[in-house]
Amino acid sequence: MKNILIIVALLSTSSVFAQVENHEHKKMEVSMKQKAAKQNEPLKADGIDPVCRMKVAKGEKRTAVFQGMQYGFCSDYCKEKFEEKPGKYIKP
Ligand SMILES: [Zn+2]
């Protein structure tokens, strides 16, 4: 009888751990989603693609934030180029 009690105690402890882990996992998922949403925020105002200097219209979804400034891109190619080395295109 004693043995059964120990097993029950072990089982309930491990399920508590599992719940905690699950909770942590959810928190991580949420913060990852928030990050992604921030990157994909549409362009707030007309701007210039810093890579090719083309005009980018407000609402463009290919954007990146660098030093607190939002930049829009004409293509995935320009966005990738920019994200590789933003400092190359943005002069302080
Ligand atoms: Zn471009």
Side-chain angles (χ1 to χ4, degrees):
M1 197 56 193
K2 238 183 188 176
N3 279 345
I4 290 171
L5 276 178
I6 290 171
I7 289 167
V8 169
L10 279 176
L11 280 177
S12 59
T13 324
S14 66
S15 79
V16 167
F17 275 123
Q19 273 174 9
V20 170
E21 252 175 58
N22 209 353
H23 186 70
E24 285 298 312
H25 185 71
K26 269 187 191 153
K27 263 205 289 195
M28 250 175 69
E29 243 180 12
V30 167
S31 73
M32 271 170 72
K33 265 183 200 160
Q34 279 172 345
K35 244 186 183 174
K38 202 179 169 190
Q39 272 190 337
N40 286 330
E41 221 172 84
L43 197 62
K44 284 172 194 142
D46 288 357
I48 304 284
D49 182 326
V51 177
C52 68
R53 305 278 159 195
M54 246 177 72
K55 270 191 190 170
V56 186
K58 180 181 167 184
E60 172 61 57
K61 286 196 176 69
R62 284 174 292 233
T63 61
V65 175
F66 179 63
Q67 292 177 342
M69 284 284 293
Q70 190 191 37
Y71 298 96
F73 304 94
C74 70
S75 63
D76 289 334
Y77 173 80
C78 285
K79 182 169 155 39
E80 274 169 33
K81 281 294 223 186
F82 181 80
E83 282 174 338
E84 251 172 50
K85 269 187 188 173
K88 188 177 164 187
Y89 304 102
I90 306 299
K91 301 287 177 217

